Amino acid sequence: MKNLGVNLLSIMLVLMLVFSCKEQVSDTSVEVATTEAESGHPSLVLTKKGVRDIRANLGNIPIFDKSLAETKAEVDAEIEVGILVPVPKDFSGGYTHQRHKQNFYMMQKAGVLYQILDDEKYATYVKDMLMAYAKLYPTLPVHPQTRSYARGKLFWQCLNDANWLVYSAQAYDCVYDWLSPEDRDVLENNLFIPFAKFISEGNPQFFNRVHNHSTWGNVAVGMIALVMDNDALLEDALNGLKTDNLKVGMKDNDGGFIKVEGQKLGFYGNLDEPFSPDGYYTEGPYYQRYAMYPFLIFAEALQNVKPELNIFEYKNGVLIKAVDALINLSDADGDFFPLNDGQKGMSYYTSAVVTAVDIAYHFGGKNPELLSIAEKQDRVVLDDTGLSIALGIKEGLGKSFDKKSIELSDGQNGDEGAVGILRSEDLELVFKYAAQGLSHGHYDKLSYSLYEDGDEVLQDYGLARYVNIEQKGGGNYLKENKTWAKQSIAHNTLVQNETSHFMGKYEIGSIHHSNKYVFDVSNKNLQVASAKESNAYPGTEMQRTVVFINDESYAKPYLLDFMKVVSNTSNKYDFPFYYLGQLMQTNFEYNKLNTPTVFGKDNGYQHLYKEAEGVSFGDNAKLTWLSNGKFYSITSATAKGDKMILAKIGANDPDYNLRNEPAFILRKTNTKNTVFASVVESHGTYTARSEFAENAYSHVKHVEVVHDVAEYTAVKVETDNNKTKLFVISNLDNKAGSDHKVTIEGEVVSWTGAFTLKELK
Amino acid sequence: MKNLGVNLLSIMLVLMLVFSCKEQVSDTSVEVATTEAESGHPSLVLTKKGVRDIRANLGNIPIFDKSLAETKAEVDAEIEVGILVPVPKDFSGGYTHQRHKQNFYMMQKAGVLYQILDDEKYATYVKDMLMAYAKLYPTLPVHPQTRSYARGKLFWQCLNDANWLVYSAQAYDCVYDWLSPEDRDVLENNLFIPFAKFISEGNPQFFNRVHNHSTWGNVAVGMIALVMDNDALLEDALNGLKTDNLKVGMKDNDGGFIKVEGQKLGFYGNLDEPFSPDGYYTEGPYYQRYAMYPFLIFAEALQNVKPELNIFEYKNGVLIKAVDALINLSDADGDFFPLNDGQKGMSYYTSAVVTAVDIAYHFGGKNPELLSIAEKQDRVVLDDTGLSIALGIKEGLGKSFDKKSIELSDGQNGDEGAVGILRSEDLELVFKYAAQGLSHGHYDKLSYSLYEDGDEVLQDYGLARYVNIEQKGGGNYLKENKTWAKQSIAHNTLVQNETSHFMGKYEIGSIHHSNKYVFDVSNKNLQVASAKESNAYPGTEMQRTVVFINDESYAKPYLLDFMKVVSNTSNKYDFPFYYLGQLMQTNFEYNKLNTPTVFGKDNGYQHLYKEAEGVSFGDNAKLTWLSNGKFYSITSATAKGDKMILAKIGANDPDYNLRNEPAFILRKTNTKNTVFASVVESHGTYTARSEFAENAYSHVKHVEVVHDVAEYTAVKVETDNNKTKLFVISNLDNKAGSDHKVTIEGEVVSWTGAFTLKELK
């Protein structure tokens, strides 16, 4: 890496020298450039005008210059390696998969370098590579790996073939004018058109669908259509195939629906349905990040080639809103919250989001907050949008991106629940009361995860997969994703009778969603979110309310969390908290088993070990743990006979696919109606360097549900500063203007609005 | 914290203003200052001349100014809190403990501030605090907590009382001249003299001993003796009590010996015996860090008050060497290797090492490498030594501290084994073939731990304790420290017949040590350390050799590790690797148990769960794991019938005191002589942001012991670049000049020196 650094520096210096000379010449050409679209190529992502502007500024736009130098170093190294186009064989993670993946990235970059640096060696590289593919492709059967519902030819699934085409189309656009018409004929007839037909007409179950896979498929076909000026393919890309012979109710190998009656398809369909008006993508941020690249790169291409479509205005500018939503769906380190199937560690530093930020800035009104994200990303896309960013940064226009508490509605019309994010000091709570999230959804209604300063405090497990690590099931979804990660018990939410929400059935889950009830962050010292779920367990109504309460006595707010459960049957309820860290102390006795037992038979329970159990005498149960140098406590109201279970993930895991992390589970048996009420605190710190423990003990003396009827629920929290606070919520009327009056413990409490917090002494 | 930042800034600005004026005046006084010791106070750590020099430079020495501003902010906040001197009651972690600890730190700092800022409010604070102690102390019985072998009065153990006196003596020195003679009489007669007598004559089992506790005791008495100019106390401090009535063979509550026949005692004794000539402190770096403060602060005081003792020349300058050794005993992040009882996370950023670095720089020839450590520490001690550092940094004299491969001998004369550290690229291997390490030693002869870029790859568990976290056994050593952390099976070394080295008995372990055999790092591409152990298991000889081999085909060196075992009985051998991270794959079949079983009955085995077991067919056993975005593999030669066991720490741990981390254990049964030969590699990377897995597979195709007789052992390593390397070591003759010739697999191999590495094809 040290050597690379030196090389980069040399390259940058050379570039700066070269372009500091060119600059003076090309200044004029910038001025005479028209703002109208010009004919000829490149036209999709890079434009002719963009290339001129970039050349004029090179050497004088640090973040762009650096990105260019890095790209040049990378492509130069690959050119040394030569053209390698192996016969496809492997799953993701394997050699042929990685090679073909590397190839399309490199072609796209080489195309850009040819345009910007005007060096034919890059055009030659693209041509040689594409010609090799034009020779190979017609000989290929479908990929030998059979796992996918839509097998590709270069890759085991059409999805990756579509990735290939999205990037290769850009490369082709960059060298189009440089190639001879004969070469173009060969490429289009032997490679691009059959390729586009194969992933569209040849795989309607992949192409004609609302799903992130299909978005890639639509965009792949759309991009190559724009380069080739092929209206028929463009129409398929935008609106889907007219006929597909697919049966309604078909499912893919993840269990997701393929065909839904009356669904709008193609790029427009995929823009309409999965995005809420707030820009939340129903599969969750991990897939939103993945989908943003094709959505935005194609939108950019459409804007450049077909500006009359006004794609960035579509659905009230949802594409630009989506970028803002995506950034808000990341923690303090920029890591995306792993809602639904999400691999931890994916962050806004990934290249797809670099593109998204650059495009959103350039086409979305030059929001200065995006410049600060681009500065953190420390690289830009080598096109017109990256140039805009680089100039904005250079001119010092950036403003810090202020992530606030925010509710992002789910559903095409924004009426299928939401994800609510409460932020207070360094704490972030991600509360999920959304729709199913298509085939990547988890059965975790009303679950939440809690973060502090970018570290997980109460975790969402995420997916059970090691993406692109071949040793782990070819890098694909592991069976534990279904048997563990998607199940309700794997989440911080209520589980009834050891079954998952909607019986863990996608057919049921996908027709329901939770409902927003309250999201009020107008007072930063009292932020409240509340939501309801009526369908997860028929006959059982759940309402969860989470409240960040700031008490000036304490350095940080604490979280009041209560789940009201009303059922028409007696049930067993489990209520887990997936804390991360080392258990310090509990205030209850527990019996640690000599060896763990498997916690249950099915629905995820078979993956939990029970390590210890305590029985409540009806007091509060408190558990304190240490994680990342911070002390945390959960204090929960319990009823006599409730069980406190200490568990660990990892049973029935023959291949060590799961992470062995702990859980604290509250269990109530033979219960109809109840309230699970807890306070979660970040109350202290430990520094190994000084060996000082500060505020190692919880500040919460007592938590109690003091009132619970259909109309109102009230929870009292007593803290060690001799304060007692009473939080009351109206369960049936959430209107801001409604007046309420209720007698609690002999005192009349009255207020206006859905909730109130009273200081009792 | 934001507010504090602003306050610090304001304070610094004010200080800079104040002292930029004073500077001009005091420049003259610096010039006329003599270099001779002046009479009067302060004289120990701060000196009169030092104070003048500091005042003259203030506002113009950034790191010092910043440290001063931080200290002022901290002490000012404490002055607001007021004088709190509670009746002692709690263990470490509890209120009275923390309060008295905070008091002595604050007094020392207030004394310094009085001298530097010439503001009497600080002197008043010190006086009020000391007077409160002078009132309380005579009323105190021994501390009510009974756990210690030497109970203090302010704290549960004399050790902490000694800490108090070391700091309070400095505070007293700073205000000595400002106090009235009457006040000094009160303080000396009611507090300091009885205090010093209590921790010396009153507790000879604490004071008259070679141990880090005693060092603190000696220094505490010595420091107050220097302030009071009390020769009798100084003599006790330097050379120990003349009579103590202790019995030879007495032990403390950690099981350490108290009295050893003919031992030199006092400060000199504690300097002589635990420090090797290389500056390695036999208890290990965690305690060395703790002991360095009293050693160096007293050395500084002696140098200032009794320069004729030439304390920094003592034992060939061992005190300065010790600072260098200590820094070398840290990983890339500055965290100390947790050899013996060591809490992870303790690092050279801790205040004791700030002091050590400053003193070593000032009195040890101004080694410019220490300036770079001080820059990282980002603070200095507020005395003459901190001023030297600050001036050195300001003048840009710093040089990077280059941590090299190094062997640090153990034992008073350097002949009791050693700790060998091999460093290559980002890898660091810490190989322990030292003496027992007094009462803090672990039974882990020939064990090693492996680090990459500051992260643990193969861990040393460290201690079983949460220092100062009251919830965990009062913050003291947990019973699992003895039952788990000290036991041999808790370490990466050989265990015979499920017993620990020396039967886990301190009496036996402390009379033995391992022996160095080879330490050759002259070729950075072939670094070799080898050591022998003959006493851990009587009748069994162990020799372990570790080799970093750089193969230009690979980005990083790999580690060849082989342990030759020769016994006169048939034994069961267990050979664990405590890898950290997620298991990716093994090349052997294993049977994962439905629920774990407890691995054994005693000697640490009772704390391990056996999770899975495989049986060797005589091939290599390979295990690949992922940790911190890197892929690692162990490839081990096994014999048919050997067991490969996957285990986890955490059985019989009723209070969740242990960390549940994994182990890979090779087991051979009914074996007399054998060689455990493995290659450990860091071969690849995984980046969650890009989801690229590079080099996820081990490069090692085969590891085999091809020759093993009394005289020679040879191991062959075949890698996937079609290279085969043969490493041969002479087991009986380690002389550099000896010629060797041996026939291995039909080929004659000849070389000069203890070992050779041949390329076979």
Side-chain angles (χ1 to χ4, degrees), chain A residues 284-322:
Chain A
Y286 178 76
Y287 278 97
Q288 178 159 355
R289 164 278 324 177
Y290 186 60
M292 284 319 284
Y293 184 81
F295 275 117
L296 287 168
I297 206 79
F298 189 44
E300 179 176 11
L302 284 171
Q303 185 65 29
N304 284 331
V305 182
K306 308 269 181 195
E308 64 277 15
L309 295 180
N310 275 321
I311 190 68
F312 285 108
E313 305 297 317
Y314 193 80
K315 201 175 170 177
N316 290 316
V318 71
L319 279 169
I320 303 300
K321 286 182 189 164

Side-chain angles (χ1 to χ4, degrees), chain B residues 221-264:
Chain B
V221 171
M223 293 289 279
I224 198 67
L226 289 176
V227 189
M228 302 189 302
D229 197 17
N230 182 325
D231 287 343
L233 283 178
L234 184 61
E235 172 57 21
D236 289 347
L238 290 173
N239 296 304
L241 302 167
K242 294 287 169 291
T243 55
D244 58 19
N245 294 319
L246 300 173
K247 285 192 193 134
V248 169
M250 270 181 77
K251 291 201 279 185
D252 67 13
N253 42 309
D254 289 339
F257 286 119
I258 286 174
K259 176 108 175 180
V260 177
E261 190 66 51
Q263 218 172 14
K264 193 167 163 185

Side-chain angles (χ1 to χ4, degrees), chain B residues 150 152 155 157-164 206 212-214 216-217 290:
Chain B
F155 299 93
Q157 51 179 355
C158 276
L159 170 63
N160 302 107
D161 280 41
N163 300 156
W164 186 94
F206 160 76
N212 74 70
H213 288 193
S214 314
W216 278 97
Y290 185 60

Side-chain angles (χ1 to χ4, degrees), chain A residues 286 343 350 467-468 470-472 582-583 592 611 648 653 656 658 660 686 689 691 696-697, chain B residues 286 343 350 467-468 470-472 582-583 585 592 611 648 653 656 658 660 686 689 691 696-697:
Chain A
Y286 178 76
Q343 179 163 281
T350 196
V467 181
N468 290 331
E470 196 187 25
Q471 290 111 315
K472 287 293 193 194
Q582 181 80 31
L583 193 155
K592 181 112 188 269
E611 294 185 334
K648 198 150 284 156
D653 177 25
Y656 283 87
L658 298 176
N660 302 148
Y686 183 71
R689 290 170 183 184
E691 298 184 334
Y697 292 94
Chain B
Y286 178 77
Q343 178 161 283
T350 196
V467 181
N468 290 331
E470 196 186 26
Q471 289 112 316
K472 288 293 194 194
Q582 182 80 29
L583 194 155
Q585 201 178 40
K592 182 113 188 266
E611 294 185 334
K648 199 152 283 155
D653 177 26
Y656 283 86
L658 298 176
N660 302 149
Y686 184 71
R689 290 170 184 185
E691 297 184 336
Y697 292 94

